[in-house]
Structures are given as C-alpha cells and as structure tokens.
Amino acid sequence: MMNLSFRPVRMLLTVLLAFALVAGPVGSSAEACNVPVFRYALEHWRPDPYRGVLFHRGPLSAADQEQLEKLQAAAGDSKVNLTLRTVDLDGSPDAADRELLPAADAPDLPRLVIQYPAHLRVDKPVWAGPLGDTELAALLDSPLRREVLKRLTSGQTAVWLMVDSGDAGQDDAAAATLEQELKGLQTTLKLPELTDSPEDVIQDGPPLRVEFSLMRVRRDDPAEQALVAMLTGCEEDLAGLDEPLVFPLFGRSRAMLPLVGGGISADNIRGSAKFLAGACSCQVKELNPGFDLLITADWNALLSWAKSPAFASGESLTAEPELVPIPSGTKSAPSKVVVTEAVKVLPEVEIHAESDAPAQSDSLLPILAGVVLLGLVASVLVRRRRS
C-alpha cells in the first residue's frame, strides 16, 4: 500500500485553484504547451530561496560582518537561492525567532540557521552552523551538486540521485533496477511533438533529448552533509528510514519527492520519467511536484540562452508567482487538470462567488465535484510511493 496523507480542506482549495488555473473561465480557451516539463523548468523556473537567520548578540565582529556581506552579495546577485536576516538577541526577538533559536544548538554566537523555502511550510531547520569559511562553503556548494548542475545544464532530462541506506545489498538492488529501467526509457520514451504555437517555443539551448543518469550519495559522506540534510528533511520521517531514497532532479536542481525502498520499482520509475519528459501541464511552478535544492549557480552565465522574461528582468526571488491558465497537450487535445504536491505548498485561498454571474454557478457545481474527486485521485498518484 502507498503511504498517504490527506489534508481535506487544503486539498479542496488546491483542487479548486488548480481547476481555475487550468480551465480558466467557463467558455474560455488557451494555447497548448508541449514543451517537456524538464526543459520548461530549466528555461523558466528560478530556484526558490531558502531562509537564513543569523543570531548574534550585539555588534558583529569585523570578520563576521565581512562573511555576512559576502552572503548577502551572493544572494543579491541571485547566485545563491538564499534570503538572509539578522536577529540581535540583545534586542527583543519575536516568538517565532525564540522558537527557532534552540535549533542553533550551540552556545557560541553568531550562529546561522537555514530553513526550507517558506511556501513548503517545513518549520524544522535544514542546517545550523557558524559563519566560518569551511562551514559556509559546505552549505552552499558541494562536489555532487556541481556535477548535477553540469549534467542538467547540458540538457539531461533528469539526474536520479539515490541516497544510500547503508545496506549494500538493498542499495545495489535499487541501483540495478534504476539503471535497467533508465537505460530502456532512453530508447522508448518519446518527447511531445512541438508545434508552431508560440507556447511551444524553446530557447537556443541544448537539443531536446531523453537522457537520464544515476548518481549515489552516502548518508555519512562528509562533503555532502548539507545536501543529505536537504533531501532527507523534506518530509518528517525520511531521515529515520533505513531504506534507499531516490530523488529525480531536473530543471535548475529541483527535486521530486522520493521513491522509497520497495517503491523504487519499474512502474514508479517509468511514471516519474514520463512526467518529466511529458508536456508541461501547468506552467505555474508551485503547482508542480518537488522542491529546490540550495545551490550556488550563476544562472545568467550557465543559461545565457534561456531568456525567460521573469528571470531576465532580475525579479526578486521572493516574488509571488503569477497564476496563469495553461492547458496541456496539443491544440486538438482536450484540456486536463494535473494536481500535484500543491497541497503542501499553497497558502490558504479565499474563494468568492461573483454576484454578476449567477447563471454559471449551477453548471459549475457538477464540474467542481468531479474536479475534487480527480484531485483526490491525483494526490494519491503523486504522494511518495513505497510499493
């Protein structure tokens, strides 16, 4: 059986929002988008910012101030997907900061605490440590992340990153299943056919292709502790599991939720691969599954060919997403709703009925009821799969 977790009220709101995004107003139409998910993500989706809080008492030393300014400069140039703020404990920190402070787990200050992007609603910190050069370097970058970055920006569809459990037999069996399935998918999986529609335009980057690769990381690898913490902290029970975890990475180092243990199966691997290589069903990033890794990357240089208007404009990383109605598939195909892990990442939505359109309300009821049912089914399909 699959491990399921339902949040009925937020699920309903998410489904209604997804319906509005994809279907738009009754009787309206929109252009189709056949650009594969992995390529659309690479060209358009900027990494979400992790949140950094620096706790200190009184003025920072000259050395600590210099480190802080380096971090702020990197974040300001969008080379690190991180926002920063400082909390002087000699002042009056608010309740949320007082709750976060124990996570620093050390008497020595200053201490930097890192949390996931806000919309993921994961309160537990990912990392905590001093402002030392060695500690910050390991937090913001690592050999494995640099290799993932190289492969994705060269045009690979996805890098399948396996976090080993430590049980060699279990880990090697999972890796063998992955290698066999991914090798076959590279020859059998077909990309959607692009049309002359403006929605199907891709930039002058690497040629579209289906190409997968597998990488493995030990949980105790000293050079990858920050990365392992990001991956195993995305859901509350992952860190304690003694099973291998597989995260498909795509776009600008975005991780899908993992396949776990027995869920690293041929069917689940094919399902994830088909999603990544399939037509981009919804161009709104937050309505697609997964979370971004904290990474150092000069995206303007790495993807100089990707001229996404929002990215090229230098828009703030913390800006709210623009919600636009985009269906999937070719122009002749009917629209369909794809509901993903938005249950986890969307804020509460207040829904108002329009007083000037009473004639539509009755006709929408059966549609909305059907969409709710579809959303519940879709939520099962995108949850982390164990079998």
Side-chain angles (χ1 to χ4, degrees), residues 1-194:
M1 296 293 292
M2 289 179 290
N3 181 43
L4 306 180
S5 175
F6 292 101
R7 299 169 176 83
V9 175
R10 291 179 65 195
M11 172 66 73
L12 173 60
L13 296 177
T14 298
V15 171
L16 293 178
L17 178 57
F19 175 78
L21 290 172
V22 179
V26 174
S28 70
S29 62
E31 293 293 332
C33 177
N34 298 293
V35 177
V37 170
F38 77 92
R39 182 54 169 263
Y40 192 91
L42 183 64
E43 291 191 6
H44 298 276
W45 292 351
R46 293 162 299 144
D48 297 323
Y50 281 64
R51 295 167 291 162
V53 182
L54 181 65
F55 291 98
H56 64 99
R57 290 190 182 278
L60 291 170
S61 68
D64 289 333
Q65 183 64 38
E66 182 180 1
Q67 289 285 59
L68 177 61
E69 289 174 358
K70 287 180 181 178
L71 272 177
Q72 290 172 328
D77 291 340
S78 298
K79 293 179 181 177
V80 176
N81 52 321
L82 178 69
T83 61
L84 287 166
R85 61 188 180 88
T86 60
V87 174
D88 188 344
L89 296 175
D90 284 342
S92 301
D94 60 27
D97 287 333
R98 288 196 298 271
E99 291 179 4
L100 185 60
L101 179 58
D105 195 28
D108 57 314
L109 296 173
R111 195 79 169 171
L112 180 64
V113 178
I114 303 295
Q115 293 177 285
Y116 285 99
H119 68 78
L120 294 179
R121 299 188 176 185
V122 178
D123 294 329
K124 185 177 180 180
V126 181
W127 181 92
L131 281 177
D133 286 330
T134 302
E135 292 83 0
L136 290 181
L139 167 67
L140 302 177
D141 202 3
S142 66
L144 195 149
R145 276 177 281 178
R146 286 195 293 274
E147 181 60 25
V148 167
L149 194 66
K150 177 181 176 181
R151 296 186 188 191
L152 293 179
T153 55
S154 72
Q156 282 196 12
T157 308
V159 175
W160 298 67
L161 177 57
M162 189 171 86
V163 181
D164 287 356
S165 68
D167 180 327
Q170 191 177 191
D171 295 335
D172 291 345
T177 298
L178 274 165
E179 289 173 342
Q180 179 179 348
E181 291 302 319
L182 295 178
K183 182 178 180 180
L185 286 166
Q186 288 186 157
T187 60
T188 60
L189 199 57
K190 302 299 182 185
L191 296 175
E193 184 177 348
L194 301 182

Side-chain angles (χ1 to χ4, degrees), residues 322-354:
E322 179 184 359
L323 305 182
V324 294
I326 301 290
S328 66
T330 59
K331 292 184 180 179
S332 60
S335 299
K336 58 182 178 181
V337 176
V338 176
V339 179
T340 64
E341 279 295 309
V343 170
K344 284 193 160 190
V345 301
L346 286 178
E348 279 69 22
V349 179
E350 185 176 0
I351 299 176
H352 300 277
E354 294 292 341

